[in-house]
Amino acid sequence: MGAHSNPLTRDWEIQVNTWPRKIVAITVVLAACGALIYRTWWLFLAAWITRTGSPDVALYEKAVKYDPENADYHFKLAQIYNYSTQNMNIRRAGEEYEAAVRLNPYRTQHWQELSKYYEQEGNMELCRYAMQQALERDPNYAQTHWAAANLYIRLNDLKAADFELRRTADLDVSYLTQVLDLVWRFYEDPDPIMATHVPDTKDANLTALGYFISQKSEHGAAIAWAKLKNFETRPQERFAYIEYLVSLNRPHDAWQVFSFPQAVKSGESAALIFNPSFETEPMNGAFDWRFSSSEHAEARRDTTAAKEGLASFLVTFDGKENPNYAQVWHWLPVDKGRHYDLTFWMKTEAISTNEGMFVDVDGQFSEKQLGTTYWQQFTIPFTATSDLVSARLRRVPSKKFDNLLKGKVWLDAFALTEH
């Protein structure tokens, strides 16, 4: 049974076992191939001549002739006619834009450019229609909503613009600074801006906080911070706001921002000096230790020597300069007029010259240390002259001939107490 062909298909078989039939079959195949080549040849030719993307009007005129159903060729030709000063033809540009969206209505960019074309021609009804088509084609692309928002601003439709600006920021927070720049020009009021244009996310609130700081809007920064407190943030992300509050002479508010959320959990600020024993790597900002190294002085946390805990802070001088040194320091939030003691431990190794190392807090000094000393505790009493003072590791320049500073100094176990 399997050796014989199926009787149902046998009647459809065409025998080509004779030369006339073979010739007919070959002719049919060649004709089909020729028709296919003829239909695709022009498509290949259009693709070939436009392969470089060069904005040559003659090439794209040929391309739309060879492949008239290709929306991209019409769009490119429209761009050339609309923007090229040498080949400008506004009427043709409009025709080609319309052909592009007719042939491929799903390309957002085509609708956006058509919207621009209608706007420049003063046809605002079609301009809005084309932009709406772009939004419908690509509802989740921030750049499209950004373009729509700018259009509505130019049309003085702020309600529509507000919606699109918020949608832009929702989709891509990197646009938020540009959004805030726009709405600040119109409103200059942080309350509606935060309510309407800023998504309630960590990144968005951080961006808004930075923006209001740049605008010196104390109220705007406060609103942004109030929202940001609902999210977990690193101290470094709050540094700009801390610096801003200090610039406003609000050091205690700055300290609360720095110590958040510990201050909230405990009901009060923690110890008035952060990281007093260098148990964590200094953040080099805000209310942590600040320091900088130079060509002749290296400042760093040291885990090989400590008076207490795991680490201390070390500064090494190479003996090649006579510095006025003040490159390790720490803010202290205090109350003006109150009395405090700053205590700490210091040790030195081979500190040269007649000018030694000491700590300065609010204009009061510890004893200068020279040569090699083991760990010694120092106490500096002072009366705060403001609500924010600084403790610094210092050395003043030597006036002697042998004045180049060499050696090492360690600091550890700071404490600030009121009395």
Side-chain angles (χ1 to χ4, degrees):
M1 184 75 178
H4 301 283
S5 60
N6 191 322
L8 295 177
T9 60
R10 189 168 56 241
D11 293 339
W12 292 93
E13 294 178 358
I14 300 175
Q15 300 297 323
V16 289
N17 52 2
T18 65
W19 274 109
R21 291 185 177 184
K22 289 180 180 180
I23 292 173
V24 170
I26 292 171
T27 301
V28 170
V29 170
L30 291 175
C33 291
L36 179 62
I37 292 172
Y38 179 80
R39 290 178 61 86
T40 59
W41 164 251
W42 300 111
L43 307 183
F44 285 126
L45 184 57
W48 176 257
I49 64 175
T50 60
R51 68 191 183 282
T52 64
S54 174
D56 187 325
V57 68
L59 290 182
Y60 280 95
E61 284 287 8
K62 289 180 180 179
V64 298
K65 180 179 179 181
Y66 297 154
D67 188 4
E69 301 300 311
N70 190 313
D72 290 336
Y73 296 152
H74 288 279
F75 178 74
K76 185 67 175 182
L77 190 57
Q79 293 285 80
I80 295 171
Y81 280 134
N82 199 37
Y83 295 114
S84 170
T85 55
Q86 183 179 0
N87 300 292
M88 185 171 290
N89 187 328
I90 300 302
R91 181 187 62 80
R92 283 294 309 281
E95 292 173 355
E96 297 301 330
Y97 279 134
E98 291 171 345
V101 298
R102 183 180 67 254
L103 293 168
N104 185 355
Y106 303 104
R107 294 290 294 274
T108 302
Q109 185 186 11
H110 294 184
W111 284 109
Q112 281 186 253
E113 289 296 326
L114 180 59
S115 176
K116 291 180 185 178
Y117 171 79
Y118 286 141
E119 182 183 4
Q120 74 188 32
E121 292 300 293
N123 192 332
M124 298 309 167
E125 182 179 354
L126 287 180
C127 168
R128 295 182 72 119
Y129 170 79
M131 183 58 73
Q132 188 59 43
Q133 293 298 311
L135 290 168
E136 290 179 7
R137 277 14 179 221
D138 206 350
N140 297 316
Y141 189 35
Q143 187 174 355
T144 307
H145 291 276
W146 174 248
N150 280 271
L151 169 63
Y152 296 143
I153 287 173
R154 292 193 297 272
L155 297 180
N156 201 31
D157 187 347
L158 295 186
K159 183 177 180 181
D162 284 339
F163 178 84
E164 297 301 337
L165 289 169
R166 174 56 183 265
R167 186 69 179 136
T168 301
D170 281 332
L171 290 168
D172 188 347
V173 73
S174 68
Y175 276 90
L176 183 55
T177 299
Q178 295 168 268
V179 169
L180 292 172
D181 269 333
L182 271 179
V183 297
W184 188 254
R185 298 178 202 170
F186 290 96
Y187 301 113
E188 290 193 11
D189 185 346
D191 288 296
I193 290 173
M194 285 297 299
T196 304
H197 303 96
V198 180
D200 193 15
T201 65
K202 174 186 170 180
D203 287 344
N205 287 319
L206 269 174
T207 300
L209 178 61
Y211 182 81
F212 289 125
I213 290 171
S214 71
Q215 295 298 321
K216 296 181 172 54
S217 172
E218 188 174 349
H219 180 55
I223 299 172
W225 169 242
K227 289 189 137 188
L228 190 59
K229 287 196 292 186
N230 296 319
F231 302 89
E232 184 177 345
T233 55
R234 296 179 294 110
Q236 293 90 333
E237 293 174 315
R238 307 192 292 269
F239 279 5
Y241 190 40
I242 292 165
E243 298 278 354
Y244 178 60
L245 289 172
V246 168
S247 74
L248 296 173
N249 198 28
R250 295 171 53 189
H252 291 288
D253 291 333
W255 170 247
Q256 291 287 334
V257 172
F258 178 78
S259 58
F260 182 85
Q262 287 82 2
V264 174
K265 291 178 180 178
S266 64
E268 59 181 14
S269 295
L272 290 180
I273 183 164
F274 182 81
N275 198 11
S277 297
F278 308 97
E279 295 304 283
T280 60
E281 187 69 39
M283 291 180 282
N284 209 0
F287 286 92
D288 201 349
W289 290 96
R290 304 181 186 220
F291 60 94
S292 61
S293 293
S294 65
E295 183 181 358
H296 302 297
E298 179 191 17
R300 63 178 178 85
R301 181 174 179 251
D302 182 17
T303 57
T304 66
K307 173 57 183 174
E308 66 177 38
L310 301 174
S312 62
F313 200 83
L314 167 65
V315 183
T316 303
F317 301 95
D318 67 1
K320 296 182 179 180
E321 68 173 353
N322 178 27
N324 182 11
Y325 189 79
Q327 302 310 308
V328 177
W329 59 284
H330 197 300
W331 271 344
L332 303 177
V334 292
D335 291 310
K336 182 179 180 180
R338 294 190 178 181
H339 306 290
Y340 297 88
D341 285 337
L342 179 70
T343 61
F344 64 95
W345 291 78
M346 177 191 290
K347 81 167 185 170
T348 60
E349 179 182 300
I351 293 293
S352 62
T353 80
N354 65 318
E355 290 292 349
M357 305 303 301
F358 63 96
V359 169
D360 169 0
V361 56
D362 201 17
Q364 304 300 312
F365 315 122
S366 66
E367 297 176 18
K368 296 179 180 180
Q369 300 298 294
L370 289 168
T372 298
T373 62
Y374 193 62
W375 285 112
Q376 297 183 66
Q377 188 177 39
F378 298 87
T379 298
I380 307 175
F382 68 97
T383 301
T385 59
S386 68
D387 288 338
L388 184 69
V389 300
S390 297
R392 291 180 181 268
L393 176 63
R394 291 288 315 280
R395 186 261 190 187
V396 297
S398 171
K399 296 180 181 179
K400 300 289 186 179
F401 178 77
D402 183 15
N403 59 20
L404 301 181
L405 176 61
K406 188 173 183 178
K408 298 179 179 181
V409 57
W410 287 264
L411 298 171
D412 200 3
F414 281 78
L416 180 65
T417 56
E418 184 180 356
H419 64 83

